Amino acid sequence: MSDLPETVVFEHRSACLRDNPLGDPHTRRVEVHLPPGYDGVRPFPVIHWLPGFGAHPSLTGRALAFGTTVADRLRTAMSDGRVPPALLVVPDGTTSYGGSQYIDSASSGRYAGHLAEVVAEVDRRFATRPEPRWRAIGGKSSGGYGALLAGMTSGLFGSVIACSPDAGFEHSYLPLLPRALDTVRAAGGMDALLARRSTGPVDGPFMVAMSIIAMGMCYAEDARTSPSDALPCDPDTGAFRDDVWRRWLTHDPVRMLDEHADALTRLDHLHLSVGERDEYGMHWGARALHAALDAHGVPHHYREHEGGHHGIEHVFTDALAGLRHVWSGRTVGTCAV
C-alpha cells in the first residue's frame, strides 16, 4: 500500500519564460494528481490538463458550494474504471493579462515552450510512460484551444481533448468586441481598466474585456505592442483594423487546419465537445471546427451537451473516458484498461 500523497505540487523554473516580455514570473507551480495504484515504480500514462482563461491553475478548488472538485471527481472515475488511471498534471500558463493561450507569443512569452518543459519535468520526476501514445492533453475554453494547438504543432501528445475551445473566431471573439470596448470606455480608458486587475471589481464585463485584451497580446507579433494596439479596432473610435484581425485569424484552429490537419489525423484520439447554449458563441465556433475537421478527413469524436460555458466541469469525466479505447488492452500501472 503506497503512502504517497494524492496530490504533489512542485515549482518549475522555466527557461522559456525567463525574461518574458511582460515581466511575469518564470518560476511556476505544477500540480500533479496521482492516480489510484500509483507507487512511484510502475509507470502510468499522463493527462496534461490546461485551465481556461483567468482560471487558477489547479483542479482542487470549487467555484460553488455544490458538487466535488474536478480532481476528486476524476480520481473517483479512475477508481471505478470510467476513466483510465493516469497522472493528471495542471501547468500554470497565466499571464498578467489573464492567460497565454499556451502558445509562443512575441508579446506575452513562450508558453508552448514552457508546456514542453513541464512535460519533460513530469516524466523526469514521476513514473510515467514517456511516449506520445501514452500522453494526452486536454482543457476547457482557452485550455481546450491550447490542447488543440499542442496537438497540431508539438508532436508530444497522442490524444487531444478540447472542451468548448476557442475556435471560429468570427463567432467567439468578434461578438465580444463591442462589449469589451464598452467596458474599457466605462472604466475611463485602457489604463484605468487594467488597474482594476489589482483593485477590482473583477466582474463579468471586466473578465470579458480582459479576455479580448489578452487575446490581442497573445496574437501580437511585436513585443512592444500595447494593449490598445493589440485590439482589432481602435478602442477610442471603433475604427476596425483589418491587418490586426487577419493576424488573429492565423491563430484560429479552423483556419490552421489547412496546414496542420495531418498532425491531427495522426493522433490516436481527438475529442471535441461544447455546450449547445454557450454564452460566448463557442458552440458555433465548435460547429465550424467540426465541419472543417470533417472536410479535412480528420477522425474525431464530436459532442454537443446541454448547458453553456460555465458549470460544465462534469463533462470532463465523459471526455476523458474516451481514453479507454486508446489505452485499451495495454497494461497501465496495476490495471489493464
Side-chain angles (χ1 to χ4, degrees):
M1 192 73 171
S2 173
D3 58 358
L4 292 172
E6 292 183 356
T7 303
V8 176
V9 177
F10 66 88
E11 289 191 337
H12 170 66
R13 293 186 178 180
S14 172
C16 287
L17 297 185
R18 190 183 299 275
D19 299 322
N20 64 82
L22 299 182
D24 288 327
H26 74 280
T27 299
R28 300 296 179 105
R29 78 190 299 275
V30 181
E31 183 177 279
V32 182
H33 301 275
L34 304 179
Y38 181 85
D39 60 8
V41 178
R42 288 160 293 187
F44 279 75
V46 183
I47 302 167
H48 292 263
W49 190 263
L50 308 182
F53 172 81
H56 184 61
S58 173
L59 295 180
T60 60
R62 289 191 297 173
L64 301 172
F66 308 105
T68 61
T69 68
V70 173
D72 287 342
R73 184 181 293 119
L74 292 178
R75 185 174 177 82
T76 298
M78 290 181 188
S79 295
D80 64 26
R82 286 175 292 154
V83 173
L87 283 83
L88 186 62
V89 177
V90 188
D92 179 1
T94 57
T95 72
S96 51
Y97 290 96
S100 63
Q101 295 296 83
Y102 304 95
I103 64 174
D104 286 342
S105 165
S107 58
S108 293
R110 296 173 55 204
Y111 284 87
H114 171 61
L115 177 59
E117 290 178 336
V118 170
V119 169
E121 185 66 8
V122 167
D123 285 341
R124 186 183 72 81
R125 288 175 177 257
F126 299 90
T128 69
R129 304 295 297 267
E131 303 90 17
R133 68 172 183 168
W134 295 101
R135 192 184 292 130
I137 188 164
K140 174 200 166 189
S141 195
S142 286
Y145 173 87
L148 284 170
L149 269 288
M152 289 181 177
T153 62
S154 75
L156 291 172
F157 305 97
S159 298
V160 170
I161 297 93
C163 300
S164 305
D166 298 15
F169 286 1
E170 299 91 341
H171 303 300
S172 56
Y173 289 159
L174 274 187
L176 301 181
L177 189 54
R179 292 162 56 184
L181 297 181
D182 287 342
T183 302
V184 172
R185 179 177 288 254
M190 184 65 73
D191 290 343
L193 179 74
L194 295 178
R196 284 175 51 183
R197 289 177 291 179
S198 57
T199 64
V202 179
D203 53 14
F206 172 80
M207 290 302 293
V208 168
M210 283 304 307
S211 70
I212 293 298
I213 294 167
M215 298 310 120
M217 296 301 291
C218 289
Y219 304 144
E221 296 178 340
D222 189 328
R224 299 166 296 180
T225 302
S226 71
S228 292
D229 291 338
L231 297 179
C233 67
D234 187 302
D236 294 321
T237 68
F240 205 76
R241 300 162 174 159
D242 290 328
D243 58 332
V244 175
W245 178 240
R246 285 194 297 269
R247 184 169 66 243
W248 281 41
L249 290 177
T250 64
H251 295 275
D252 185 342
V254 176
R255 295 169 184 264
M256 291 178 69
L257 279 177
D258 286 342
E259 183 177 351
H260 298 289
D262 286 348
L264 294 183
T265 300
R266 291 192 293 270
L267 294 173
D268 295 315
H269 178 61
L270 173 58
H271 172 96
L272 173 63
S273 67
V274 71
E276 58 189 12
R277 300 189 307 277
D278 192 283
E279 296 89 335
Y280 308 111
M282 300 293 187
H283 52 306
W284 283 107
R287 289 165 184 166
L289 180 58
H290 172 46
L293 289 167
D294 278 345
H296 283 83
V298 178
H300 64 288
H301 177 266
Y302 178 70
R303 179 196 174 202
E304 291 190 18
H305 55 79
E306 185 178 355
H309 196 75
H310 303 292
I312 60 169
E313 287 76 13
H314 61 285
V315 307
F316 300 167
T317 302
D318 290 339
L320 292 177
L323 293 171
R324 285 189 57 83
H325 83 267
V326 180
W327 297 330
S328 177
R330 301 171 181 171
T331 301
V332 181
T334 59
C335 307
V337 297

